[in-house]
Amino acid sequence: MKPKRPRITPQINNPLHGVTLADILEYLVENLGWEEMGNHIKINCFHSNPSIKSSLRFLRRTEWARKKVEQLYLQSID
């Protein structure tokens, strides 16, 4: 017998549910590019040798910057 997987209920009030920070960053880079992201959010990891890896490291440690990136993502998918 296979164990039953827990039932995941969608979170209607949370548009970021199930979307990883890496997914958000890759989407923004693909659709806006590093330069445009740096114009919206003034953080060094978008201006100086930008990469997904270094940006993820910074955003995971810096809550205010992560919230700004999440907000930019939400604005760009509307």
Side-chain angles (χ1 to χ4, degrees):
M1 253 171 125
K2 289 184 181 180
K4 291 184 179 181
R5 293 190 314 178
R7 212 166 129 199
I8 299 174
T9 57
Q11 294 183 356
I12 296 169
N13 295 330
N14 184 1
L16 294 175
H17 180 71
V19 181
T20 66
L21 185 57
D23 292 338
I24 291 171
L25 200 54
E26 288 170 5
Y27 174 86
L28 290 173
V29 169
E30 185 177 311
N31 290 286
L32 298 178
W34 291 109
E35 187 175 340
E36 186 66 25
M37 288 169 55
N39 291 336
H40 286 281
I41 306 168
K42 307 289 188 218
I43 53 177
N44 197 34
C45 65
F46 291 168
H47 291 286
S48 177
N49 296 321
S51 73
I52 298 287
K53 184 178 179 180
S54 67
S55 297
L56 283 172
R57 190 177 320 124
F58 176 76
L59 294 170
R60 286 179 178 138
R61 290 183 294 165
T62 314
E63 185 176 347
W64 65 265
R66 183 178 65 247
K67 291 205 179 292
K68 287 188 176 202
V69 168
E70 289 171 348
Q71 190 63 36
L72 179 61
Y73 171 74
L74 291 173
Q75 290 170 356
S76 69
I77 62 171
D78 284 340

